[in-house]
Amino acid sequence: MSTPHETVPDRTHYRICPLCEACCGLEIRTSGGRVASIRGAEHDVFSRGYLCPKAVALKDLHEDPDRLRTPLVKRGDRHVPVGWDDAFDEIERGLQRVQRAHGRDAVALSFGNPSAHKIGLLLYTTRLAKALGSKNVYSASTLDQMPKQLSCGLMFGHWLSIPVPDITRCDHLLILGANPMASNGSLWTVPDFRGKAKALRARGGKLVVIDPRRTETAQVADAWHAIRPGTDALLLASMAQVLFAEALVRLGRLAPHVNGLEAVREAVAPFTPERVAARCGLAADTIRTLARELAAAPRACVYGRLGTCTQRHGSVSSWLVDVLNVLTGHLDEPGGAMFPLAPAFAANTRGKPGIGAGVHTGRHASRVSGAPEVMGELPITLLAEEIETEGPGQVRALVSVASNPVLSAPGGPRLARALAGLDFMVSLDIYLNETTRHAHVILPGRSPLEDTHWDVAFPQFSDRNHARFSEAVFAPAAGDVPEWLSMSRLAAIVRGRPWRDGETLDDELCAAEVQRAAGPQADVVMKAVSHLRGPERLLDLALRSGPYGDAFGLKPDGLNLAKVRAADGGIDLGELKARMPGALRTESGRIELAPAMLVADLARAEALLAEPAADLQIVGRRDVRSNNSWMHNLPTLAKGPERCTLLVHPRDAERLGLRAGGRARIGRGERAVVAPVELSDDMSPGVVCLPHGWGHDRDGARLGVAAERPGASLNDVLDENLRDPLSGNAVLSGVAVTVEPVS
Ligand SMILES: Nc1nc2c(c(=O)[nH]1)N[C@H]1C(S)=C(S)[C@@H](COP(=O)(O)OP(=O)(O)OC[C@H]3O[C@@H](n4cnc5c(=O)[nH]c(N)nc54)[C@H](O)[C@@H]3O)O[C@H]1N2
Ligand SMILES: Nc1nc2c(c(=O)[nH]1)N[C@H]1C(S)=C(S)[C@@H](COP(=O)(O)OP(=O)(O)OC[C@H]3O[C@@H](n4cnc5c(=O)[nH]c(N)nc54)[C@H](O)[C@@H]3O)O[C@H]1N2
Ligand code: SF4
Ligand SMILES: [Mo]
């Protein structure tokens, strides 16, 4: 007997991988309606055939029987499938009831990492947040990059104006707290980091890594320096001090565009290498050499990522990374730290070049702890207390979009208890997991292979400019609702309208945006995109009005969606080019080298000098075959050795009585988890390492493969009360723990 699929001819599809920030182009061969093979697309203008083992798991993800295909509604303690209309009816009743009884702030929004990888989620999250009108907006950004967004926002005027290493022309790359060999890069879209780092060294360049662990990246570097976790602010301030003291500061071309040089000189003056060396765990001479080499290299760059953000001084560390780039004349220069020019959606390409409104924080504060809003968000580690604490403004309902804070945020079990007490919760997700099991209604997201794809954010961080679009590989099931439309329906609901208005609302918002941007030309513009709907309409508008756009026909050689769609493998837009001062959007129209709140916080970091390092600190790690909390259900990736292990230096193991393969209790106060021990002299003594995103043993989740080897959740131990006060980012690295053997 033949199935309908067997009549589908074999085909080869081009698809951008949505699984991490490298955004590799893939060649997916389908046969009989199923994925036959996945390879790197050699003809991709940007990634040129590179891929990692996760890409192949797109097939597992597409076929995963646990991946949700229909909406689920909670009846008693079970989730049962329902039709789409019934699901939206239930959400409309649930959310509007809470809003009517308790006001707008009573409904919170939480969105997670995968929403950055789908155009229909990312563009519509902003719309949903606006429609909601609640102070209670939370996301994975405060578990990740908020410190960098804040420091760059203050320095360059927009939250997404974040420079990236121009690695293909760089000869000296200093990396702190990042492991692109495993992570494939972050706030830096750099497919094939390994190959590019190798080429850098082959042309005589130098790669230096500063990390408490000799990571996979440190292993391919020329030098590795083990730092005491949480002390990057001291180290970086000290390097800046050396530059001033030894007259190595060269602002170069940007000199006339920089404010605050003297303030920086003064702020870093107390941080001599001799003073910080012992606390950082690096010799004073090493710190001097790091500064001198950076200054001496003609084309050099400092790059800091997760390890420099998820610590108590995340904002100051993130700031000082770019201070060093500016002081050594490497910002906005080829081979240095450069600003990509994305073809669509980049705020630093819109409005008046070189000047803007800057960024501001603290326009409101969290109700219970008074933490300032940053980029319209509150720290996600405060969500539990906002749900638990009674009084006006208490959070009583949650809309969760592609987020799994029960595993991804410190204090997971406390948050899970809080979620269980909500009046109403709706999740837009692809799994019934540790977080979504608390939802009254779960709306399924699509398999990436059923969606068209354009990266909204990552071209803004790419090591080369490009425009790439991919079509869906498979048609979605009949009656299936795309995620953008689910988001639009949710937006209609929280605006007090019927969910059935979702599509009309999208039309209204789009027309209003075009009216604001195009004024008298609005009708012509709307007509030009009248054949499109949803995210594709927004993309065509953004491309055509963007820096390479066809300006709706005025520049016939320019880009539009149809052209990009027709270009299999994408369109190369060339190497990174200098963008300063035009890309600035600060109020002064200059680079703010010494934003007041960062300078003030550097003084707070000085207190670290009087505070001895904890006996044992824990840091995280990433494995190339895993991704945060949600890829452990894919057999291709789940097989192989146990990955959720505690790395311990043999010396620590000896004094703590731990042995390889034995089990360790990792504790902090009342909290503890147990994990197998792996001895590793890649660790610095005094630092242990456990990955996050594990702990798939919670009742009510439906993750058959992941539950077989659930692992322990690091965030069951970490402390939701530890934050970088400026950005609200959680402290996930360098937290003091105790470790003891379990028999
Ligand atoms: N201790 C510690 N904690 C950490 C980190 C760490 O290094 N250490 N890293 C932090 C970082 S950097 C991040 S970004 C956060 C991530 O935190 P989260 O974003 O909360 O976590 P994820 O594991 O990415 O889970 C995303 C959710 O999205 C769902 N999902 C996946 N694909 C789709 C889709 O296509 N559509 C929809 N609708 N849903 C989808 C998944 O099922 C899952 O529920 O974790 C943070 N937590
Ligand atoms: N395979 C895989 N790839 C991923 C992910 C994944 O889970 N798996 N997650 C994706 C996400 S959401 C993100 S945000 C990116 C993150 O990508 P990266 O920024 O590369 O993050 P990590 O690999 O966690 O590397 C952080 C490093 O910081 C070090 N570190 C910890 N504390 C300190 C400190 O105080 N100072 C210094 N200097 N270093 C410190 C850690 O030892 C670790 O090596 O990866 C993305 N890509
Ligand atoms: S590095 Fe791997 S997971 Fe990341 S985009 Fe490329 S293929 Fe996908
Ligand atoms: Mo992240």
Side-chain angles (χ1 to χ4, degrees), residues 110-113 138-145 377 380 403 408 729:
S110 161
F111 55 99
N113 173 278
Y138 304 86
S139 88
S141 291
T142 49
L143 300 167
D144 186 347
Q145 81 292 348
E377 298 183 21
I380 195 164
S403 85
S408 57
N729 209 87

Side-chain angles (χ1 to χ4, degrees), residues 94 156 215 269 279 298 378 400 423 451 483 487 572-573 643 647 677 717 719:
F156 309 120
T215 58
R279 187 64 181 85
L378 295 172
S400 148
D423 291 351
D451 245 340
E483 283 166 297
M487 294 289 282
D572 180 38
L573 297 171
R643 293 197 175 81
L647 298 185
V677 174
V717 179
D719 186 343

Side-chain angles (χ1 to χ4, degrees), residues 379-432:
I380 195 164
T381 45
L382 296 179
L383 177 56
E385 69 175 30
E386 291 294 332
I387 298 173
E388 291 162 353
T389 312
E390 287 175 17
Q394 180 183 5
V395 169
R396 293 162 187 275
L398 176 68
V399 180
S400 148
V401 177
S403 85
N404 191 9
V406 168
L407 292 192
S408 57
R414 175 180 172 192
L415 180 62
R417 283 192 297 278
L419 296 181
L422 286 170
D423 291 351
F424 191 76
M425 174 170 163
V426 51
S427 284
L428 177 53
D429 208 285
I430 58 171
Y431 285 116
L432 176 53

Side-chain angles (χ1 to χ4, degrees), residues 498-556:
W499 65 262
R500 288 178 196 279
D501 278 4
E503 200 152 0
T504 325
L505 176 65
D506 188 50
D507 291 338
E508 291 166 12
L509 292 176
C510 182
E513 276 163 36
V514 168
Q515 186 60 48
R516 269 197 304 278
Q521 304 301 318
D523 284 350
V524 183
V525 170
M526 280 308 280
K527 210 163 154 218
V529 295
S530 61
H531 57 296
L532 297 166
R533 285 288 172 284
E536 280 163 29
R537 175 168 56 189
L538 298 173
L539 173 57
D540 199 25
L541 287 166
L543 275 170
R544 303 182 77 172
S545 59
Y548 311 87
D550 73 358
F552 302 95
L554 294 177
K555 297 180 186 162

